[in-house]
């Protein structure tokens, strides 16, 4: 791949039409190209029978048409499948396909290689940030996984939801994540609705304040603590943007499309699972517009925190529900292959895939 070239898979349909028109080519070819790549998952231009060779030659010359590679995949006993996705500079990220009822298949995508935020409970956080992913690499996780599933599991496979909950802090890579989200939502292509996409953030206040400029997808805030001292212990970002500033920014999120903000709350034994944490959450969260998603801490090698007992988790959830909150506990998926939340860390960091 040529690093200077833009990925063909990073353009909205309008951008592709404009490009073709400005290049003196038929702009309706954009719909045909979109149909091949985002509906048929056919990336071999020789098979694009209804697209003129002039258009194909132009695209080949001016765009990067390579896809990320599925380097490895592992299937968990619960049906969750983890993919190690290799980029052209041989960095890798992980993407996880999680099945749910009603034929839902959610793809958990990564937005960065590593992460700069450094949360103390997160496996990815221990890596530091290597670099942002490009728009083409974010969209490419979806297309490469879909193609892999169609080639290997089910020729009709379709990923129905996206959560930005893989490696990285999506709002740190604001522009590329925003553009990828637009591409995911294009009707002529993948066509995901705004409620099928969830952006999860650790609480980057200036970027949360810019969410008016972002497609109106679901927003999940990684809260994890209701008291500043505990949140700072878990998430160093709380030193820069404490709870007061965070909630000042959250109040400005336009709630038109999604009436609720989801708050993710990792439950860690004897740290944030106590009665005073329930009280703190009730003081912070408006029950009319908040949903709480409890995530029992997933242990990983070297993690210094402990998961509470099932009884304690149930108690915490019941206490919040008793006070009128919508509260769910995330069932841990993919634990046996280290694909659960916070366990993602590319083991095969620098593989020489392209040598
Ligand atoms: N960086 C973003 C999105 C990726 S993390 C964010 O932090 O929101 C996705 C979710 O997994 C976050 O809520 C994160 O806090 C959670 N997570 C990270 N490590 C975890 C662990 N060890 N156990 C359970 N959840 C974890
Ligand atoms: Fe980064 Fe999210 Fe992990 Fe924190 S929890 S280190 S923000 S990926």
């Amino acid at each position: 791949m040529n690093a200077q070239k833009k990925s063909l898979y990073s353009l909205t349909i309008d951008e592709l039409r404009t490009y073709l028109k400005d290049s003196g080519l038929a702009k309706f070819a954009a719909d045909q190209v979109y149909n091949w790549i985002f509906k048929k998952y056919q990336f071999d231009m020789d098979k694009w029978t209804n697209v003129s060779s002039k258009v194909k030659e132009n695209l080949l010359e001016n765009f990067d048409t390579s896809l990320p590679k599925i380097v490895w995949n592992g299937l968990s006993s619960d049906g969750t499948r983890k993919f190690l996705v290799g980029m052209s500079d041989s960095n890798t990220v992980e993407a996880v396909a999680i099945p749910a009822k009603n034929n839902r298949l959610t793809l958990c995508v990564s937005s960065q290689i590593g992460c700069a935020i450094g949360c103390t409970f997160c496996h990815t956080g221990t890596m530091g940030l290597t670099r942002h992913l490009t728009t083409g690499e974010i969209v490419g996780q979806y297309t490469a996984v879909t193609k892999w599933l169609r080639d290997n599991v089910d020729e009709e496979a379709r990923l129905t939801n996206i959560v930005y909950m893989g490696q990285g802090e999506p709002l740190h890579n604001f522009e590329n994540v925003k553009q990828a989200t637009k591409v995911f939502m294009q009707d002529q292509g993948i066509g995901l609705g705004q409620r099928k996409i969830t952006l999860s953030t650790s609480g980057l206040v200036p970027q949360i304040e810019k969410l008016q400029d972002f497609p109106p997808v679901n927003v999940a805030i990684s809260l994890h603590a209701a008291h500043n001292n505990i949140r700072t212990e878990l998430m160093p970002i709380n030193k820069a943007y404490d709870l007061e500033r965070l909630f000042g920014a959250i109040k400005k999120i336009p709630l038109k499309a999604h009436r609720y903000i989801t708050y993710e709350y990792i439950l860690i034994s004897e740290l944030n699972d106590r009665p005073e944490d329930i009280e703190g959450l009730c003081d912070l969260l408006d029950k009319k517009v908040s949903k709480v998603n409890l995530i029992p801490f997933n242990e990983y090698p070297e993690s210094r925190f402990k998961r509470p007992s099932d009884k304690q988790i149930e108690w915490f959830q019941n206490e919040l529900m008793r006070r009128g909150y919508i509260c769910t506990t995330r069932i841990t998926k993919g634990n046996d292959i280290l694909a659960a939340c916070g366990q993602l860390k590319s083991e095969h960091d620098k593989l020489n895939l392209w040598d």
Side-chain angles (χ1 to χ4, degrees), residues 121 164-166 168-169 200-201 222 224 264 266 295 297-298 341-342:
F121 52 79
Y164 285 104
M165 295 187 187
E169 165 51 54
S200 173
T201 178
S222 289
H224 305 327
E264 295 164 279
I266 289 195
I295 316 173
F297 176 67
N298 289 317
C341 298

Side-chain angles (χ1 to χ4, degrees), residues 145-160:
V145 168
T146 303
K147 184 170 161 31
W148 189 93
L149 290 171
R150 290 189 174 198
D151 290 347
N152 296 283
V153 181
D154 169 5
E155 50 185 46
E156 309 264 289
R158 183 174 145 74
L159 297 160
T160 60

Side-chain angles (χ1 to χ4, degrees), residues 115 117-119 121-122 124-125 166-169 202:
C115 183
I117 307 292
C119 302
F121 52 79
C122 173
T124 310
Q167 291 163 20
E169 165 51 54
S202 59

Side-chain angles (χ1 to χ4, degrees), residues 80-292:
T80 299
R81 197 184 285 268
K82 173 159 110 170
F83 295 90
L84 191 67
V85 185
M87 303 307 174
S88 57
D89 64 356
S90 71
N91 274 300
T92 58
V93 292
E94 286 165 354
V96 185
I98 309 156
K101 51 182 186 304
N102 302 328
N103 281 329
R104 240 170 59 195
L105 187 58
T106 299
L107 189 69
C108 176
V109 294
S110 295
S111 55
Q112 297 177 313
I113 296 175
C115 183
I117 307 292
C119 302
T120 54
F121 52 79
C122 173
H123 211 190
T124 310
T126 62
M127 295 167 67
L129 177 68
T130 303
R131 67 170 174 85
H132 292 311
L133 292 183
T134 63
T135 302
E137 290 171 333
I138 299 169
V139 175
Q141 292 169 68
Y142 184 100
T143 46
V145 168
T146 303
K147 184 170 161 31
W148 189 93
L149 290 171
R150 290 189 174 198
D151 290 347
N152 296 283
V153 181
D154 169 5
E155 50 185 46
E156 309 264 289
R158 183 174 145 74
L159 297 160
T160 60
N161 295 64
I162 290 179
V163 293
Y164 285 104
M165 295 187 187
Q167 291 163 20
E169 165 51 54
L171 289 187
H172 188 198
N173 188 10
F174 192 92
E175 290 305 328
N176 293 346
V177 170
K178 176 177 158 187
Q179 177 70 10
T181 304
K182 285 188 189 166
V183 174
F184 288 137
M185 293 173 71
Q186 299 291 295
D187 284 337
Q188 298 84 349
I190 295 168
L192 292 179
Q194 60 199 28
R195 287 164 194 267
K196 305 280 182 181
I197 301 176
T198 301
L199 184 77
S200 173
T201 178
S202 59
L204 281 179
V205 163
Q207 284 83 342
I208 292 175
E209 286 171 344
K210 276 179 26 189
L211 281 178
Q212 297 96 297
D213 303 335
F214 204 92
V217 298
N218 302 317
V219 178
I221 305 282
S222 289
L223 185 60
H224 305 327
H227 303 283
N228 273 318
N229 59 338
I230 302 177
R231 193 161 191 270
T232 300
E233 185 181 338
L234 295 174
M235 310 175 77
I237 193 174
N238 198 64
K239 279 186 236 151
Y241 307 116
D242 66 7
L243 288 168
E244 206 179 5
R245 293 195 62 185
L246 177 60
F247 278 88
I250 290 171
K251 288 202 182 81
K252 296 187 202 149
I253 299 178
L255 274 181
K256 283 180 295 205
H258 31 73
R259 237 167 41 78
Y260 292 93
I261 301 279
T262 299
Y263 292 91
E264 295 164 279
Y265 191 95
I266 289 195
L267 274 175
I268 298 175
S269 176
E270 290 173 27
L271 188 87
N272 64 359
D273 63 345
R274 310 154 307 161
E276 53 265 52
D277 300 307
I278 302 274
E279 299 308 327
L281 281 173
C282 293
D283 290 343
L284 275 178
L285 303 181
D286 176 351
K287 61 185 88 154
K288 291 194 290 298
V289 290
S290 309
K291 286 183 186 175
V292 181

